[in-house]
Amino acid sequence: MLIKNGMVINPATGQSCIADILIKNGVIQDIADNIAPSENEKVIDAYGLTIAPGLIDTHVHFRDPGFTHKETLHTGSLAAAKGGFTSVICMANTSPVVDNTEVLDEILSRSKNEAVRIYQAASISRSLKGEEMTDMAALREAGACGFTDDGIPLKNAAFLYQAMETAKKLDVPVSLHEEDPAFIKNNGINHGTVSDQLGIYGSPSIAEESLVARDCLLALRSGAHTVIQHISSGRSVELVRIFKSMGANLHAEATPHHFTLTDEAVLRYGTLAKMNPPLRKEEDRLAIIEGLADGTIDLIATDHAPHSKEEKERPITAAPSGIIGLETSLALGITTLVRPGHLTLMQLLEKMTVNPARLYHLPAGRIEKDAAADLVIFNPEERWTPEKYVSLSSNSPFTGWELYGKIKMTICNGNIIYQD
């Protein structure tokens, strides 16, 4: 396969240029000007388009096993490919929980049949109860790329500190869902003027901030690579910034919904704008954007969380939290961050490719000779409107929005896995 005339952006080096990319046996063989195609070579003309490393999402829920009416490994992979992702990391809160090597092996075995590269995080605690440590060494040996009890906070600081020390020895990240339930009466909606209008209490930002403050300190003391997942509060961003400056190996994820929307969206979209942690105030959204711009937040992740239409049609206090995000992630980054001038396209792609690859030791995130041919080809200027999804679910507040940044082709391991 030969891709010609595209604007090649490589966030790993910070360089971009118009070039051709020659692919052989799933590997980038050459990057140069005016490469002549060999006989019977498949040639793709990418004139006017951008070529970047295949996107990497560090935080997705494919609901498989246990909740396959919402999503499966296969439908999740299709959604990832359509969104330009070639590598994803699935969370451990399936049923059964990924807290032992048998469950992990089963998921990784089935994942080999899918077109994208599916990695799996294992849980820190058995059954997500926060009481008994999993055999992290055995899980790492079996292929777990990191550890998280995502969806449930770890309330015992000493327990978490022990897990961090173990993760440091294993050289893998620990990722944390930061919401102290003691502060929350109704999750998924920010406690404030919007929740008051709805007649409920909601989830105040201190529920996140209190655990972020504690865990930043634990990260500093342990030395472990620690990820603050789906950060939502401006104060949380500042805490990460402070502790990073002190030498903590801290990382933070920002989701497209948290840098695009505020809690006002709940009044317009109802349960489609309900997620954990919730959308917060405009000042929080702007603080997240500032954190992305100055490098405090180094990852953009979707927290792709499919739910059925019937589940999301329940009353707002009864409906599950979460939205899908794989198919709109890059476009929201371009629309909300790049076009207004908050980030360059290079900075956006850095947080969606090379940064997650480095953190999780993935063989991806770069465009260079002998690297895996995992690529996304897109037009950052093309407008489009998300209407239908290949995900098994469609719970998104962004349906019908006019967005910039259209995926034209996704290539994984040298194979075209999505084409517009």
Side-chain angles (χ1 to χ4, degrees):
M1 180 188 299
L2 178 62
I3 307 171
K4 294 190 67 67
N5 307 315
M7 174 58 70
V8 178
I9 294 185
N10 187 12
T13 62
Q15 297 176 325
S16 61
C17 63
I18 295 176
D20 300 346
I21 299 176
L22 180 63
I23 298 169
K24 297 285 188 183
N25 300 318
V27 173
I28 297 174
Q29 188 175 83
D30 197 11
I31 305 167
D33 295 331
N34 301 316
I35 300 175
S38 59
E39 189 176 357
N40 299 321
E41 186 95 63
K42 181 177 180 61
V43 178
I44 297 167
D45 186 5
Y47 178 78
L49 302 177
T50 297
I51 307 170
L55 306 181
I56 302 170
D57 195 334
T58 59
H59 190 153
V60 303
H61 299 270
F62 281 179
R63 308 299 195 197
D64 189 351
F67 307 99
T68 52
H69 66 287
K70 303 171 188 271
E71 195 78 284
T72 67
L73 290 176
H74 183 61
T75 59
S77 296
L78 293 176
K82 186 178 178 183
F85 291 90
T86 55
S87 299
V88 297
I89 298 175
C90 292
M91 296 296 98
N93 58 341
T94 50
S95 182
V97 175
V98 188
D99 62 2
N100 62 79
T101 56
E102 289 78 13
V103 175
L104 176 63
D105 288 344
E106 193 273 337
I107 293 172
L108 292 179
S109 177
R110 288 192 292 119
S111 296
K112 293 177 182 177
N113 299 321
E114 301 304 332
V116 302
R117 303 179 194 271
I118 299 176
Y119 299 92
Q120 181 65 56
S123 67
I124 296 169
S125 71
R126 293 194 180 277
S127 302
L128 304 176
K129 292 182 178 179
E131 298 169 354
E132 181 185 356
M133 196 86 65
T134 56
D135 188 340
M136 294 172 69
L139 286 160
R140 175 60 179 143
E141 180 68 22
C145 65
F147 293 90
T148 179
D149 275 16
D150 176 58
I152 300 176
L154 287 163
K155 293 183 282 187
N156 186 321
F159 177 87
L160 174 56
Y161 187 67
Q162 181 185 354
M164 285 182 174
E165 290 185 312
T166 303
K168 183 186 179 185
K169 292 176 184 176
L170 297 172
D171 193 25
V172 291
V174 168
S175 301
L176 303 172
H177 184 116
E178 305 288 50
E179 285 191 295
D180 187 339
F183 291 100
I184 301 170
K185 293 185 180 178
N186 298 100
N187 69 12
I189 300 164
N190 183 54
H191 174 62
T193 54
V194 170
S195 65
D196 287 345
Q197 289 183 58
L198 296 171
I200 59 179
Y201 183 85
S203 173
S205 62
I206 194 173
E208 175 179 285
E209 296 151 3
S210 59
L211 289 187
V212 170
R214 181 199 74 176
D215 295 344
C216 283
L217 179 58
L218 295 180
L220 179 65
R221 292 296 297 268
S222 69
H225 283 280
T226 303
V227 181
I228 306 301
Q229 296 179 304
H230 40 48
I231 200 164
S232 72
S233 160
R235 287 190 179 94
S236 296
V237 176
E238 184 60 24
L239 284 164
V240 172
R241 183 180 288 116
I242 291 168
F243 277 89
K244 268 190 162 183
S245 72
M246 295 169 67
N249 287 323
L250 279 166
H251 310 269
E253 298 172 352
T255 71
H257 43 276
H258 284 114
F259 63 64
T260 300
L261 300 171
T262 70
D263 58 355
E264 294 287 332
V266 178
L267 298 177
R268 180 175 179 181
Y269 300 105
T271 62
L272 293 179
K274 180 184 179 183
M275 67 276 298
N276 299 336
L279 302 169
R280 301 209 189 272
K281 308 303 291 182
E282 176 67 2
E283 54 263 35
D284 296 298
R285 188 184 76 86
L286 294 176
I288 290 169
I289 292 175
E290 182 182 354
L292 286 163
D294 69 14
T296 299
I297 302 171
D298 51 351
L299 306 169
I300 290 175
T302 64
D303 190 14
H304 178 80
H307 294 294
S308 70
K309 185 173 183 289
E310 293 74 21
E311 289 168 319
K312 276 295 192 178
E313 287 177 344
R314 295 172 186 167
I316 197 153
T317 55
S321 294
I323 68 171
I324 60 170
L326 285 165
E327 297 172 55
T328 53
S329 180
L330 179 62
L332 285 167
I334 291 170
T335 304
T336 304
L337 300 175
V338 176
R339 290 183 65 82
H342 301 301
L343 267 66
T344 64
L345 185 58
M346 184 74 75
Q347 289 173 314
L348 175 71
L349 290 169
E350 181 182 54
K351 298 172 195 300
M352 301 180 76
T353 59
V354 67
N355 284 0
R358 285 171 176 159
L359 177 61
Y360 284 92
H361 312 297
L362 305 182
R366 297 170 175 270
I367 298 181
E368 58 189 27
K369 287 180 68 173
D370 300 323
D374 293 2
L375 304 167
V376 58
I377 303 174
F378 64 98
N379 184 346
E381 302 299 325
E382 184 175 342
R383 289 182 291 182
W384 67 287
T385 301
E387 296 288 357
K388 295 182 179 180
Y389 303 95
V390 296
S391 167
L392 200 56
S393 296
S394 58
N395 51 306
S396 171
F398 301 114
T399 304
W401 281 43
E402 184 176 82
L403 301 176
Y404 286 86
K406 189 75 170 67
I407 307 290
K408 310 306 285 188
M409 183 178 293
T410 306
I411 298 169
C412 186
N413 197 33
N415 300 311
I416 297 172
I417 61 171
Y418 171 77
Q419 187 166 5
D420 182 37

